[in-house]
Amino acid sequence: MRITTDMLRELEKAIAPDAKAEIRIYAGGCDIRVCWNGGLKQVNQNLGVVQLSEIVEYRDEKMRRAWDKVIEKFRRLAAQ
């Protein structure tokens, strides 16, 4: 799976002007975290090994659609 810095910036802009996104990689998968409002607000999405193995097979156009779904999910989480 390839997540570029441009994709992370896009995710940050979708959440808030001061948002900072990061990826934490673990043996069992990874977490994508976005913090904003001076670190007072945070949303987190875990992607397990099974999910990553499904995403890694996507071509560029499918990856775009998958990333759009990730952004939309973060928007919903941030709005809660």
Side-chain angles (χ1 to χ4, degrees), residues 23-32 46-52:
I23 298 175
R24 294 187 180 195
I25 301 170
Y26 306 103
C30 72
D31 285 344
I32 300 175
N46 179 273
L47 297 174
V49 173
V50 173
Q51 291 166 307
L52 290 173

